[in-house]
Amino acid sequence: MTKIPQVRNLVTAIPGPKSQAILTRRAEAVSSALGMAMPVIVDRAGGGIIIDVDGNSIIDMGAGIAVVNVGNSADRVVANVQAQVEAFTHTCFMVVPYLGYIEVCEALNRLTPGKHKKKSILLNSGAEALENAVKIARSYTKRQAVVVFEHGYHGRTNLTMSMTAKNMPYKEGFGPFAPEVYRMPMAYPLRWPGGAHACAEQALELVIHKMEKEIGGKNIAAIVIEPIQGEGGFIVPPKGFLPGLSKYATENGIVFIADEVQTGFARTGQMFASEDEGVTPDLIATAKGIAGGLPLAGVTGRAEIMDSVHGGGLGGTYGGSPIACAAALGAIATIEEENLCARAAEIGAIMSSALHAMAKKYSIIGEVRGRGAMQAIELVMPGTLEPNPQALAAIIKFCQGKGVLILSAGTYGNVIRLLPPLVIPENLLHEALDILDQAIGSISS
Ligand code: PLZ
């Protein structure tokens, strides 16, 4: 258990003087191109609390963007990392292999959907996992086209930036983009012309029609999709959309790639969100929650696909660092032994019922959606679907001022997303939701 007291407690304004002094240095030393969700400097963190350098204890409803699902500095992660750092820090898995890498691959092969023979590789970041998944799919199929979706997010490297939907801030001025990336309409029930019902009926058919007519099924190497879109605003496609895409992929020799970077590792109440409708991706990209905060990512999939690349064709100096692998084994053991999938579902039920109650009171809430410990509200101008990003900014500022860290998302910058660590104590969760309620109330009169 974390030694960090699990109470919200503000002792200065946010940011306090010590944070402010360091933020001045940040502004001098660090490129202004980097964003910042909350203007405080962290000192320690654990459970559901982040303590800043002024001694303010802040409720963490972001988990470092769905990374510390097991909490910051989780016991098994710390113990494994400490032991590993003392044993050796790096040999490069391609120079002298080590057991930890192999054990993480075994765990991924075991935990990802499907009972077929699987293999894995390890990398450093989500973007790198997506890049490699596409490389593998292209090499296996000997095709080039990659299908992605509106509102999708896959990373900031050239290929993954090209796959990412949103221009500002991710793509503006960073072209040229990678070729052979085709973007399809996303099944976004709230914003589908004709509404959610029409979305459920039409989206799959439309996307398949467009793939057939605009690309040609036999030219498509991969369909890449987040089972629930993360940065795009926790967009949950209607039932049948993902299984339908996966079926179309199978029938056309296309590699179906699930980007579970944000949804993976118990976040949605199941180990992977694809499980919800029994979808078995051919390849699955993982990162974030895999290693309790250390940088690690993976691509896992059908052995015949993973083994189709020529020897030496995949790799990288640090991919699957022994320290990150030790952390991952600690994080995965924590998720399994502490049954964090079930816990995520419980957290989700608490958040969802609180958010639905808010939606009844406040007309700026256009929709509550999500699954498990991944819940969002989309803010609109009352009575319309017009996005309301001004409300989002005001709500986030209010919450921060009260010591609650919440994150934004959405193509239109109008989605509040809640992604608490799965070890957050229930009283902190309720407290954060109460403050969110007050925040929305404060701008709703
Ligand atoms: N795929 C589904 O959510 C990362 C981005 C933060 P990396 N999301 C957080 C930011 O603004 O850069 C993400 C994701 C999905 C891929 C990625 C990319 O993962 O580890 O950030 O490269």
Side-chain angles (χ1 to χ4, degrees):
M1 278 304 288
T2 178
K3 289 179 204 70
I4 306 281
Q6 296 296 295
V7 283
R8 179 179 66 101
N9 182 30
L10 296 187
V11 295
T12 71
I14 300 287
K18 289 185 182 156
S19 278
Q20 254 164 12
I22 298 173
L23 289 170
T24 305
R25 289 169 58 187
R26 177 191 192 275
E28 274 303 306
V30 180
S31 163
S32 59
L34 286 168
M36 171 168 54
M38 186 159 181
V40 294
I41 300 293
V42 58
D43 181 40
R44 284 165 297 148
I49 290 288
I50 293 172
I51 304 183
D52 75 9
V53 289
D54 290 288
N56 297 302
S57 294
I58 295 154
I59 304 179
D60 180 12
M61 294 294 283
I65 323 188
V67 170
V68 285
N69 294 357
V70 295
N72 255 293
S73 303
D75 293 345
R76 293 174 185 80
V77 172
V78 172
N80 282 7
V81 165
Q82 282 174 341
Q84 181 58 50
V85 168
E86 291 210 359
F88 63 96
T89 49
H90 176 85
T91 58
C92 185
F93 189 72
M94 300 179 303
V95 176
V96 181
Y98 36 89
L99 181 59
Y101 188 115
I102 297 159
E103 287 183 336
V104 173
C105 291
E106 288 170 348
L108 286 168
N109 300 344
R110 172 172 64 84
L111 293 170
T112 47
K115 292 273 166 271
H116 52 282
K117 172 76 179 158
K118 285 176 243 161
K119 291 199 176 181
S120 295
I121 56 164
L122 301 180
L123 306 138
N124 299 292
S125 66
E128 214 187 333
L130 269 299
E131 288 253 2
N132 277 275
V134 170
K135 279 165 67 170
I136 295 164
R138 282 177 166 161
S139 169
Y140 174 72
T141 58
K142 305 190 169 51
R143 305 173 182 178
Q144 295 185 351
V146 176
V147 167
V148 293
F149 291 83
E150 289 173 354
H151 311 286
Y153 182 93
H154 301 290
R156 293 179 184 261
T157 59
N158 186 264
L159 175 61
T160 59
M161 170 177 67
S162 308
M163 292 163 63
T164 290
K166 191 174 174 179
N167 177 53
M168 201 63 181
Y170 306 122
K171 304 168 80 159
E172 175 69 28
F174 297 146
F177 303 107
E180 290 299 322
V181 174
Y182 298 86
R183 190 170 316 286
M184 292 292 135
M186 177 60 187
Y188 187 169
L190 180 71
R191 295 190 177 277
W192 192 266
H197 190 68
C199 180
E201 284 197 335
Q202 299 165 2
L204 178 64
E205 205 181 319
L206 176 68
V207 170
I208 290 176
H209 175 79
K210 284 174 76 74
M211 286 192 289
E212 283 289 304
K213 295 299 164 201
E214 296 174 18
I215 315 167
K218 67 172 184 356
N219 298 317
I220 302 174
I223 298 174
V224 187
I225 190 162
E226 301 154 81
I228 298 175
Q229 288 181 324
E231 304 302 308
F234 289 12
I235 300 167
V236 188
K239 294 277 176 235
F241 187 70
L242 296 171
L245 286 177
S246 158
K247 181 165 172 278
Y248 176 80
T250 304
E251 287 168 0
N252 289 275
I254 299 165
V255 178
F256 184 78
I257 303 176
D259 177 348
E260 293 240 21
V261 167
Q262 192 154 155
T263 49
F265 295 98
R267 176 53 55 187
T268 62
Q270 289 169 297
M271 193 58 90
F272 294 100
S274 300
E275 291 166 38
D276 188 59
E277 290 187 79
V279 171
T280 305
D282 297 309
L283 299 180
I284 174 164
T286 55
K288 290 191 186 284
I290 189 176
L294 274 84
L296 188 70
V299 179
T300 301
R302 297 187 185 283
E304 68 271 22
I305 302 178
M306 296 298 295
D307 282 343
S308 69
V309 178
H310 52 279
L314 303 172
T317 305
Y318 293 114
S321 131
I323 303 166
C325 287
L329 294 171
I332 291 167
T334 307
I335 292 170
E336 293 198 284
E337 286 166 29
E338 299 187 12
N339 205 359
L340 292 185
C341 288
R343 190 61 199 138
E346 288 161 12
I347 289 170
I350 293 170
M351 295 200 296
S352 164
S353 80
L355 297 179
H356 276 104
M358 292 178 214
K360 286 213 177 73
K361 290 192 285 187
Y362 306 124
S363 56
I364 59 168
I365 299 183
E367 187 176 51
V368 175
R369 59 176 181 249
R371 190 184 305 142
M374 182 171 186
Q375 297 284 333
I377 54 186
E378 176 156 358
L379 301 167
V380 295
M381 305 307 285
T384 74
L385 281 182
E386 197 187 320
N388 192 344
Q390 301 82 357
L392 177 79
I395 291 163
I396 287 184
K397 195 149 186 280
F398 183 104
C399 289
Q400 291 187 352
K402 300 269 188 205
V404 177
L405 168 57
I406 56 172
L407 300 175
S408 63
T411 298
Y412 313 106
N414 65 332
V415 176
I416 293 172
R417 57 170 156 174
L418 304 179
L419 287 166
L422 305 179
V423 296
I424 189 172
E426 216 156 291
N427 62 317
L428 285 186
L429 185 62
H430 285 293
E431 202 175 338
L433 289 164
D434 285 346
I435 290 167
L436 176 60
D437 190 332
Q438 290 168 31
I440 303 175
S442 75
I443 57 157
S444 284
S445 50

